[in-house]
Amino acid sequence: MERRTFLNVGLAGLGTLAVAGPAAAHFIPMPSDEKWAVIFGTWYGTARDAAVWVSEGMGGIAPVFDARQAPADLGSYDHLVIGTAIQGGKGPQALEDFIKAHAPEIRRKTRGLFAVCGNLGKQPGPQQVKDYVGGYLGGITGAGAVPGAIFGGRITRALMDPDQYKMVTELYARMGGPKDDFDNLSRVACMKFGAEIRAARA
Ligand SMILES: Cc1cc2nc3c(=O)[nH]c(=O)nc-3n(C[C@H](O)[C@H](O)[C@H](O)COP(=O)(O)O)c2cc1C
């Protein structure tokens, strides 16, 4: 009986744990009266890290959401920053769907746009700002003249589907890009952009 009671309590305890669930790592913003959020689209996490560092540059006040998990109701936010990874000149479908579903609010509230791209292993420049930030992201958000930035991306073999990794590295080899993993994302550059966006609203 003693043992059974213990077992029941143990199982009940486990049940509670299962309901609450262990929480995944989550960006918890610094307290602020300003209501900002950063929303990003990613395949392999570069744009996620950029989004966190952009928020850090803003003083860490903006919660950071993957478009796949972003709140359906953006009413709690006055200011949005939208960022994306680029494949074939575009962001992930989930980000496009999210933007489409909140089009008028995103058009009205977006204060900054950024993209991360591989650019064959080189740091991107004005052409990629034009194509991916102003052209692509500016087009789907309708955000108008807001600050924009482009950041160098990564190729991370450990995260990639082997066929896709092979395809990308073969393409890069043909076009003179790096043969292996690379990481051109700069925390300093992301933070600088975050500070710039917030200063633009001050
Ligand atoms: C299938 C595929 C297509 C890509 N297409 C482009 C592209 O059109 N232009 C570019 O500059 N980089 C391109 N890249 C590089 C990505 O932009 C880069 O890996 C970036 O860091 C991805 O961000 P993520 O890790 O957030 O998904 C491509 C990468 C892959 C795997």
Side-chain angles (χ1 to χ4, degrees):
M1 194 60 200
E2 285 286 307
R3 187 156 177 267
R4 198 184 159 81
T5 307
F6 169 77
L7 195 66
N8 283 343
V9 170
L11 284 177
L14 276 179
T16 310
L17 260 184
V19 169
H26 180 74
F27 186 91
I28 297 176
M30 299 297 173
S32 169
D33 294 337
E34 295 175 48
K35 298 175 185 167
W36 288 80
V38 181
I39 299 168
F40 65 89
T42 186
W43 284 272
Y44 296 112
T46 324
R48 171 204 61 223
D49 292 349
V52 168
W53 294 338
V54 167
S55 179
E56 287 183 351
M58 298 167 68
I61 61 164
V64 177
F65 299 110
D66 189 309
R68 292 168 290 192
Q69 301 176 319
D73 181 357
L74 294 176
S76 308
Y77 305 104
D78 296 333
H79 312 292
L80 303 173
V81 180
I82 309 284
T84 193
I86 294 291
Q87 284 196 4
K90 299 175 63 177
Q93 192 61 46
L95 180 69
E96 292 197 0
D97 292 346
F98 186 82
I99 290 170
K100 212 170 278 173
H102 300 83
E105 217 172 352
I106 285 180
R107 193 179 319 112
R108 198 160 34 85
K109 294 183 175 178
T110 298
R111 313 288 179 233
L113 298 171
F114 70 86
V116 299
C117 70
N119 197 35
L120 292 175
K122 298 186 294 289
Q123 281 294 346
Q127 187 62 50
Q128 287 73 35
V129 173
K130 183 165 174 281
D131 293 346
Y132 301 147
V133 184
Y136 171 67
L137 262 187
I140 62 171
T141 59
V146 296
I150 189 88
F151 304 125
R154 300 173 177 150
I155 292 294
T156 311
R157 180 179 201 155
L159 298 178
M160 289 180 78
D161 172 72
D163 287 343
Q164 192 169 60
Y165 181 77
K166 190 162 175 283
M167 189 270 284
V168 169
T169 46
E170 282 174 3
L171 175 76
Y172 274 35
R174 270 203 309 282
M175 302 190 68
K179 291 189 181 55
D180 227 319
D181 280 12
F182 64 85
D183 179 3
N184 286 331
L185 187 67
S186 156
R187 180 167 181 252
V188 170
C190 295
M191 287 186 67
K192 192 160 165 255
F193 182 59
E196 185 191 323
I197 298 170
R198 196 164 172 211
R201 291 300 300 177

